[in-house]
Amino acid sequence: MDITALVTGRWPYLFTIVLLLIGLYGMLVKQNLMKKVFGLNIFQGAIILFFIVHAYKHGATVPVLDDISGTDPARYVNPIPHGLMLTAIVVSVATTGVALALLIRIYRTFGTIDEKDLLVRLRDEDPQR
Amino acid sequence: MTPFPESDLPIAITMLLLFGAILTIAAGLVRRSFAWPVVLLTLLVVLGDAIAMLLAIVRGGPLRHTLGGWAAPIGIEYVVDALGAFVVVVIAAVSVAVTVYARAAVRAENPDQEVAFLGMMLTLLLGLTGMVLTGDLFNLYVFYEISSLAGYALLAIGDRKAPVAAFRYLILGTTGASFYLLGIGFLYVLTGSLNMADVARLLPTLHNNPALPVAIALVVAGVGLKTALFPLHGWQPDAYTYASSTTTAIIAPIMTKVSAFVLLRLLFFVFGVDLVTRLLPTGSILAWLSAAGIVVTSGMAIAQRDVKRMLAYSSVAQVGYVGLGIGLANPWALTGAVLHILNHATMKCCLFLVAGSVALHARRRTVAEYAGLGRMMPWTFASFTLAAVAMVGLPPTNGFFSKWYLLLGTIRSGSWPLVAVVGASSLLTAVYFFRLLESIYTAPATAKPEAPAGDPEAAMLVPTIALGVAVLVLGLCNSWFVTQVLQPALPAAVRLPGS
């Protein structure tokens, strides 16, 4: 398959894929737990952008009926993905909040949010494992 | 019979739990001891509602409720069939039992977090019942996240290491939820709809679309992570071990089972039997991964010294049976899988309640320390024995019947390695439970002066015994459930012959 033909005109989708991979990389590779939360946020942001990019129409306007555009569906942007992503953003904010609260608890208990140090301290406390 | 239409019964459950959770926190702010009665009352009403719903469905067919009067597929609808209603009844019944247990246990273990714990518990149940009731894919995502968020908070209540395990689960769980969201994004782009029935109607014309396997893979990975299907179970053992005993007793039996049920519904009612078994290898991948998981995690369970950790690994193994049944997708295997979702909820809840009672009351946690407890805590360990026997799968407990159907299913599928896995895993389960039971009943007890001998107080003992009895009763009533509730609710292609 010709890569250029696949990508041309789909640059925004390619961009969301790159963002998605950056997010995954952050979660998998970074040792600092705070950076894992950043990775998670980038990952979620990429998916939100995916929905929004799909809903975008060139030359269309906000989905409020007006006299100029009439009832032509091609003149309006699809509002459903935007509505869905509003909910997804709220979910993502809530998740970040819980994650930060947990990080504070971890930092207060163990004095570190670096995964390597944390694992060492966990092992010291629990010689069984 | 009811003062409102029967189709309002499903949404009433969501509303009751939502306002119950808010009211619990508010009551708890006034006075800490006010919170618990609110939770118990809410859950009893929810249980009544769920039973009324089940009866209404058995009498008059599936219930549909359209939110805000917007008809599906534009609006969001709740669709409940007999099977969904039965799952909600089980969720409500198990959580009533855990709530009775929770008052004494939480006060002994985490007194400062009592109100937060109870409020979060109702929020968790709100998310989980919502996942069962909803007929909309995006609504399912929202409920998935509600239950996950409550789950992270609950799992962080426990010992010093609980927040670390909860954080790890948060990263994995949110990634899983995001995969699911991306998956339904693909489905939405393909079909232009998010209503489950509507998507199921539109998909057959798109069977050759290359985006469809990607969508299915993303959805299965997303829901599989919450189900803790092997090899996506990494978050689970730590989270269960370090969380408080009541948290484990509510999350272990209910959350992973509800997710397994949702996986089943998505695969067979949205994607369709044809697509996931004949056209794509989703079913076989799921079956073989689950089979590998059953063997590996059963072995891990044998190697554990901490009883809660052993039970956590055995949970992953047991969910493997459900995954195996769903993956094989023949009538017998699927019957076994659904039966096992419900059976495992009761037995695992009973086992974790006992582990909690022993940790709090007798101050013992490891397999070695359990020696001789059978004579010290006779009623507690009578229930434990019943549930352990059910885990191994001996008649007449409920575990026997679900494994029996699964075994028939694997034999029918003709894959003899899988038959061997089901047989061998029962042996492995027997190894770790009978080893424990032997030391509980025959070995001399190690004296612990700071721990009182005897069963715990009635509030903690009665739910344990009730669940132990439920293991037997569900076993004896399984034919009613299979013929009356389960078979009519399955798609015709995967129904047992003659029903």
Side-chain angles (χ1 to χ4, degrees):
Chain A
M1 199 188 287
D2 188 10
I3 300 287
T4 18
L6 192 70
V7 166
T8 315
R10 296 195 179 89
W11 291 111
Y13 288 105
L14 198 70
F15 176 68
T16 58
I17 292 172
V18 171
L19 264 188
L20 201 77
L21 294 178
I22 294 175
L24 266 182
Y25 171 83
M27 282 188 284
L28 290 172
V29 177
K30 289 293 167 193
Q31 295 287 327
N32 190 315
L33 296 185
M34 187 63 103
K35 289 186 182 163
K36 282 185 194 283
V37 178
F38 293 165
L40 188 65
N41 278 331
I42 296 170
F43 187 73
Q44 289 176 315
I47 291 165
I48 290 167
L49 279 178
F50 169 78
F51 273 80
I52 301 297
V53 166
H54 163 66
Y56 177 77
K57 271 181 211 157
H58 194 71
T61 178
V62 282
V64 179
L65 284 180
D66 59 32
D67 294 337
I68 309 155
S69 303
T71 51
D72 177 17
R75 301 292 303 271
Y76 298 104
V77 167
N78 184 358
I80 294 178
H82 291 86
L84 299 179
M85 286 310 105
L86 214 53
T87 318
I89 291 169
V90 173
V91 168
S92 140
V93 169
T95 315
T96 313
V98 176
L100 294 179
L102 287 175
L103 275 186
I104 293 173
R105 275 276 301 276
I106 293 171
Y107 188 75
R108 284 194 187 145
T109 316
F110 296 100
T112 178
I113 51 167
D114 188 273
E115 200 173 33
K116 260 186 200 149
D117 295 351
L118 197 62
L119 285 176
V120 170
R121 275 167 223 205
L122 284 175
R123 204 165 296 136
D124 290 347
E125 277 190 18
D126 193 1
Q128 248 194 53
R129 295 181 51 220
Chain B
M1 203 170 77
T2 40
F4 47 83
E6 276 172 347
S7 63
D8 286 354
L9 287 169
I11 190 71
I13 291 180
T14 308
M15 287 296 133
L16 278 165
L17 287 169
L18 179 61
F19 288 106
I22 298 169
L23 203 63
T24 304
I25 304 283
L29 287 177
V30 177
R31 206 186 168 131
R32 199 187 283 177
S33 57
F34 288 173
W36 184 78
V38 176
V39 174
L40 188 64
L41 192 67
T42 311
L43 286 176
L44 284 173
V45 178
V46 168
L47 181 60
D49 188 319
I51 291 172
M53 194 165 78
L54 180 63
L55 292 177
I57 292 169
V58 168
R59 213 168 9 170
L63 293 180
R64 283 168 185 278
H65 177 86
T66 49
L67 293 181
W70 290 85
I74 303 286
I76 295 168
E77 65 169 350
Y78 276 28
V79 188
V80 201
D81 55 9
L83 192 55
F86 198 86
V87 172
V88 176
V89 171
V90 171
I91 296 175
V94 168
S95 45
V96 166
V98 176
T99 307
V100 173
Y101 179 92
R103 193 163 81 133
V106 175
R107 279 182 192 171
E109 213 170 359
N110 309 91
D112 296 335
Q113 282 115 338
E114 185 186 336
V115 177
F117 175 87
L118 293 169
M120 280 303 120
M121 192 172 100
L122 286 189
T123 319
L124 175 84
L125 295 170
L126 160 73
L128 293 176
T129 49
M131 284 169 77
V132 177
L133 297 171
T134 188
D136 185 275
L137 289 170
F138 188 79
N139 205 225
L140 176 59
Y141 166 74
V142 176
F143 281 124
Y144 180 122
E145 281 288 31
I146 290 175
S147 64
S148 295
L149 283 168
Y152 309 142
L154 281 174
L155 288 168
I157 300 175
D159 69 12
R160 278 162 57 83
K161 288 174 214 154
V164 182
F167 182 81
R168 211 171 280 162
Y169 173 36
L170 184 143
I171 295 286
L172 277 172
T174 312
T175 314
S178 303
F179 274 137
Y180 173 77
L181 183 61
L182 195 57
I184 63 170
F186 274 54
L187 283 180
Y188 180 71
V189 173
L190 285 172
T191 64
S193 177
L194 287 168
N195 181 282
M196 288 186 194
D198 203 33
V199 171
R201 191 176 58 79
L202 293 166
L203 274 184
T205 56
L206 296 161
H207 274 178
N208 294 323
N209 196 307
L212 198 53
V214 184
I216 295 180
L218 287 168
V219 166
V220 170
V223 182
L225 214 146
K226 199 173 166 74
T227 318
L229 273 178
F230 183 83
L232 303 170
H233 68 284
W235 58 272
Q236 203 211 38
D238 272 349
Y240 283 10
T241 312
Y242 301 133
S244 75
S245 15
T246 328
T247 303
T248 328
I250 191 94
I251 286 188
I254 298 181
M255 195 169 82
T256 52
K257 303 307 153 328
V258 167
S259 313
F261 175 74
V262 167
L263 184 65
L264 183 146
R265 274 231 332 222
L266 289 175
L267 285 181
F268 294 106
F269 292 85
V270 179
F271 296 125
V273 183
D274 245 18
L275 184 61
V276 295
T277 56
R278 267 190 336 102
L279 299 174
L280 295 172
T282 320
S284 3
I285 295 175
L286 205 59
W288 285 96
L289 276 181
S290 302
I294 293 172
V295 176
V296 172
T297 49
S298 295
M300 292 294 284
I302 294 175
Q304 299 309 314
R305 284 192 252 168
D306 186 297
V307 172
K308 255 174 109 185
R309 210 171 173 79
M310 181 189 102
L311 293 177
Y313 274 108
S314 109
S315 269
V316 185
Q318 300 288 320
V319 164
Y321 287 120
V322 180
L324 179 65
I326 295 175
L328 288 174
N330 65 35
W332 296 270
L334 211 55
T335 304
V338 179
L339 211 52
H340 206 63
I341 291 177
L342 305 169
N343 292 344
H344 187 236
T346 49
M347 43 185 152
K348 217 6 117 23
C349 187
C350 180
L351 293 172
F352 272 117
L353 287 183
V354 171
S357 297
V358 173
L360 288 177
H361 201 69
R363 310 244 167 254
R364 287 165 167 87
R365 288 178 169 276
T366 63
V367 174
E369 287 175 332
Y370 268 50
L373 283 182
R375 266 156 295 167
M376 281 167 62
M377 305 169 84
W379 287 102
T380 310
F381 277 96
S383 327
F384 185 88
T385 310
L386 270 176
V389 165
M391 292 287 291
V392 179
L394 299 179
T397 56
N398 56 8
F400 168 73
F401 295 99
S402 35
K403 282 196 183 174
W404 178 251
Y405 279 112
L406 272 172
L407 197 61
L408 285 179
T410 46
I411 292 171
R412 293 270 170 174
S413 77
S415 346
W416 296 102
L418 294 180
V419 181
V421 164
V422 175
S425 71
S426 288
L427 280 179
L428 291 174
T429 317
V431 168
Y432 57 80
F433 272 114
F434 286 155
R435 178 190 61 171
L436 191 56
L437 287 177
E438 189 204 359
S439 87
I440 285 169
Y441 282 110
T442 60
T446 47
K448 280 221 171 185
E450 77 278 14
D455 283 312
E457 62 229 75
M460 285 167 76
L461 187 60
V462 171
T464 319
I465 296 176
L467 282 162
V469 173
V471 166
L472 267 185
V473 172
L474 280 176
L476 297 173
C477 300
N478 84 90
S479 75
W480 172 83
F481 172 69
V482 169
T483 51
Q484 297 299 312
V485 179
L486 211 167
Q487 293 306 324
L490 288 177
V494 284
R495 237 174 254 169
L496 287 175
S499 65

